[in-house]
């Protein structure tokens, strides 16, 4: 039985080097970094070394790196912490986009519940935002703008520096959720407009449960976790030393992989994507072709259900995802594809393949061989497909479940 993992945007395998670096901190290097004795002092040095490794990946100052428990915590701290720090009655607006990860979208909803004005920017058919829409929405009343660097479902990359210039000219704080971008495209925060940036360990071959919030020097953020003086008072709680050390190693490896692995990953991704589009009729790419993460391909196989495809792929030993991992399990098409206006007959048949440095040519060949009969088989029993090939109008009401069709 094959075991092909093409769901690396959901999470990645912990690399051997990362695990090896972590293990001593579970065995004999178990001190608390805040302790005055050498048990603590030694591990405190190792935490600082890891901070340097992360700073190097992002081209940031070491003091600008705050360790957190995950990307979600980093997003929440950035959004709530920056808004709370502003404390100006006429500067409360929060701007984000309709395609953010739930870590940001749910935070935005919570802000609305607390009475903050929130604006959700739309995207076009290719997942791009309209900078003029941002220019129209932003003003002196805008406190924080939060956009993702790259979309977890489609891989579409937003023009961060262009957005940042607009944000900075309005005097707002600029937060970027870079959880999917870090390690896949170069990030250079040195001369950037980004004030706050979130990343997560488990997307770059470190374990789940460790993340980073980059806080540009001078940016004010109220902590989410009040406690000890850890992380210079920016995040209370005894540091998760083994995970932080692992993240440091993963960051160092990610920096090398950007040069050594990314071109190969992109070639494999393109082979998979072009091969599936060639072999399977009515297969559509979701998202911009060029401005996209090199490892991600979101494809819609029209007139079939993504969940059914996933099950068949799983039976063939191939792991992929339909929509984002967080929303799978629900039959609603993803909010990202809905925001892009992907027709419902396509949105439902969307599958995300996401590769990593572990992916091989043989694996891609295998998927290219297995996928066409899977889709053919599912279409043979799909009422949508039968309507389509017979040239009948697709009756959305007849076929749709709880979801509304798109225009
Ligand atoms: N932001 C984006 C774009 C993501 O893809 C994810 C995870 O999938 C997160 C935030 C949340 O990160 P974590 O799983 O570390 O909480």
């Amino acid at each position: 039985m094959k075991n092909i993992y093409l769901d690396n945007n959901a999470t990645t395998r912990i690399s051997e080097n990362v695990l090896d670096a972590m293990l001593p901190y579970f065995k004999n290097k178990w001190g608390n970094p805040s302790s005055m004795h050498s048990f603590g002092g030694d591990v405190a040095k190792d935490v600082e070394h890891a901070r340097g490794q992360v700073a190097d990946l992002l081209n940031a100052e070491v003091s600008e790196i705050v360790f957190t428990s995950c990307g979600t915590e980093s997003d929440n701290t950035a959004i709530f912490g920056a808004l709370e720090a502003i404390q100006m009655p006429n500067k409360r607006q929060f701007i984000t986009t309709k395609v953010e990860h739930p870590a940001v979208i749910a935070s935005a909803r919570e802000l609305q519940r607390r009475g903050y004005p929130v604006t959700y920017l739309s995207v076009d058919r290719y997942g791009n935002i309209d900078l003029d829409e941002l220019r129209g929405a932003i003003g002196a009343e805008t406190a924080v703008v939060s956009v993702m660097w790259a979309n977890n479902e489609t891989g579409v990359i937003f023009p961060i520096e262009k957005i940042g210039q607009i944000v900075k000219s309005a005097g707002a704080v600029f937060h970027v959720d870079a959880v999917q971008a870090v390690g896949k495209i170069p990030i250079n925060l040195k001369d950037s407009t980004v004030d706050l940036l979130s990343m997560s360990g488990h997307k770059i071959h470190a374990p789940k449960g460790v993340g980073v919030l980059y806080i540009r020097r001078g940016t004010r953020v109220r902590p989410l976790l009040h406690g000890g003086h850890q992380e210079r008072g920016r995040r209370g709680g005894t540091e998760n030393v083994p995970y932080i050390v692992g993240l440091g190693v993963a960051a160092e490896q990610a920096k090398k992989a950007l040069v050594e692995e990314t071109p190969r990953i992109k070639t494999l991704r393109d082979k998979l994507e072009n091969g599936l589009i060639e072999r399977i009729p009515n297969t559509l790419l979701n998202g911009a072709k060029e401005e996209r993460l090199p490892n991600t391909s979101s494809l819609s196989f029209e007139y079939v259900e993504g969940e059914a495809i996933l099950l068949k792929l799983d039976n063939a030993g191939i792991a992929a995802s339909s929509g984002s991992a967080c929303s799978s399990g629900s039959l609603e098409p993803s909010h990202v594809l809905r925001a892009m206006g992907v027709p419902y007959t396509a949105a439902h048949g969307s599958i995300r393949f996401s590769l990593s440095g572990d992916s091989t040519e043989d694996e891609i060949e295998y998927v290219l061989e297995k996928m066409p009969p899977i889709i053919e088989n599912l279409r043979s029993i799909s009422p949508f497909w039968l309507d389509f090939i017979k040239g009948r109008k697709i009756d959305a009401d007849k076929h749709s479940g709880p979801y509304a069709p798109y225009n």
Side-chain angles (χ1 to χ4, degrees):
M1 173 75 173
K2 294 270 183 190
N3 212 355
I4 297 176
Y5 187 75
L6 295 178
D7 200 13
N8 288 279
N9 286 9
T11 198
T12 55
R13 181 181 68 83
I14 300 179
S15 87
E16 297 290 327
N17 294 346
V18 167
L19 184 63
D20 289 347
M22 289 170 62
L23 288 176
Y25 298 86
F26 291 108
K27 289 183 177 165
N28 35 34
K29 296 180 107 183
W30 38 263
N32 183 330
S34 300
S35 299
M36 297 301 285
H37 45 66
S38 54
F39 283 86
D42 286 352
V43 293
K45 275 194 217 119
D46 298 339
V47 167
E48 289 320 298
H49 181 66
R51 203 183 301 282
Q53 290 168 309
V54 172
D56 196 39
L57 174 64
L58 304 178
N59 200 14
E61 300 289 330
V62 177
S63 61
E64 294 173 324
I65 304 300
V66 175
F67 290 113
T68 64
S69 68
C70 58
T72 301
E73 184 192 324
S74 303
D75 285 343
N76 275 256
T77 307
I79 294 167
F80 292 99
L83 276 168
E84 258 196 55
I86 289 173
Q87 294 289 345
M88 288 162 69
N90 297 328
K91 202 169 178 63
R92 282 165 53 84
Q93 185 198 19
F94 177 71
I95 299 181
T96 188
T97 79
K98 291 184 180 168
V99 294
E100 298 299 311
H101 186 270
V104 171
I105 296 265
S107 298
R109 299 255 157 77
E110 175 59 18
L111 287 174
Q112 284 179 294
R113 202 189 62 77
R114 297 184 193 180
Y116 285 88
V118 175
T119 305
Y120 298 90
L121 301 173
S122 51
V123 294
D124 67 13
R125 182 72 177 76
Y126 302 99
N128 299 314
I129 62 168
D130 175 359
L131 295 180
D132 282 336
E133 190 185 346
L134 172 60
R135 285 190 192 96
I138 204 166
E141 67 288 357
T142 309
V144 177
V145 177
S146 176
V147 300
M148 62 203 326
W149 203 308
N151 188 275
N152 44 303
E153 291 187 30
T154 60
V156 171
I157 297 172
F158 282 153
I160 289 303
E161 287 310 321
K162 285 188 187 152
I163 296 170
Q165 276 155 20
I166 300 170
V167 175
K168 291 287 94 191
S169 62
V173 172
F174 188 28
H175 167 243
V176 176
D177 175 345
V179 167
Q180 292 294 344
V182 171
K184 295 176 186 139
I185 53 173
I187 306 268
N188 181 353
L189 294 175
K190 182 101 335 78
D191 298 311
S192 137
T193 51
V194 176
D195 296 313
L196 303 167
L197 177 136
S198 306
M199 68 171 273
S200 175
H202 72 105
K203 312 292 181 177
I204 61 163
H205 301 282
K208 296 156 206 45
V210 63
V212 163
L213 177 61
Y214 158 87
I215 305 182
R216 179 174 295 281
R217 188 198 300 244
T219 306
R220 293 185 53 231
V221 178
R222 297 273 305 150
L224 199 67
L225 297 189
H226 300 274
H229 55 267
Q230 294 91 353
E231 301 298 299
R232 297 169 167 224
R234 293 171 295 185
R235 199 262 184 191
T238 303
E239 296 86 344
N240 187 351
V241 178
Y243 283 51
I244 289 171
V245 168
L247 178 54
V249 173
E252 198 174 298
Q253 291 188 163
K255 191 175 173 186
K256 276 201 210 119
L258 271 173
V259 181
E260 292 167 11
E261 287 286 343
T262 304
R264 188 185 68 85
I265 294 172
K266 183 174 184 305
T267 305
L268 287 183
R269 191 278 311 267
D270 289 345
K271 177 172 177 159
L272 174 67
E273 182 171 296
N274 296 333
L276 290 175
I277 290 172
E278 269 164 29
R279 287 169 173 74
I280 305 174
N282 295 80
T283 299
L284 312 172
L285 172 66
N286 296 311
K289 183 138 182 68
E290 297 307 328
E291 289 304 305
R292 195 155 49 102
L293 293 176
N295 78 318
T296 307
S297 185
S298 168
L299 294 172
S300 279
F301 302 93
E302 288 186 292
Y303 311 108
V304 275
E305 283 287 350
E307 282 70 18
I309 306 173
L310 281 190
L311 284 177
K312 294 219 175 246
L313 283 175
D314 197 33
N315 286 341
I318 302 164
S321 143
S322 73
S324 84
C326 311
S327 65
S328 64
S330 125
L331 279 175
E332 282 281 307
S334 85
H335 69 287
V336 175
L337 300 182
R338 275 187 287 167
M340 288 163 63
V342 176
Y344 77 108
T345 45
H348 275 275
S350 88
I351 296 291
R352 176 188 70 186
F353 297 100
S354 47
L355 286 65
S356 79
D358 293 340
S359 306
T360 66
E361 179 115 30
D362 282 354
E363 292 180 342
I364 299 305
E365 303 266 353
Y366 180 77
V367 180
L368 288 175
E369 179 199 316
K370 288 287 165 191
M371 198 68 179
I374 288 178
I375 301 298
E376 202 181 312
N377 174 275
L378 289 172
R379 279 182 178 159
S380 71
I381 52 168
S382 156
F384 293 105
W385 180 251
L386 294 180
D387 278 355
F388 170 71
I389 50 172
K390 294 206 169 123
R392 288 198 294 250
K393 188 175 167 318
I394 293 178
D395 182 350
D397 290 337
K398 194 170 89 196
H399 297 309
S400 66
Y403 49 84
Y406 298 95
N407 300 323

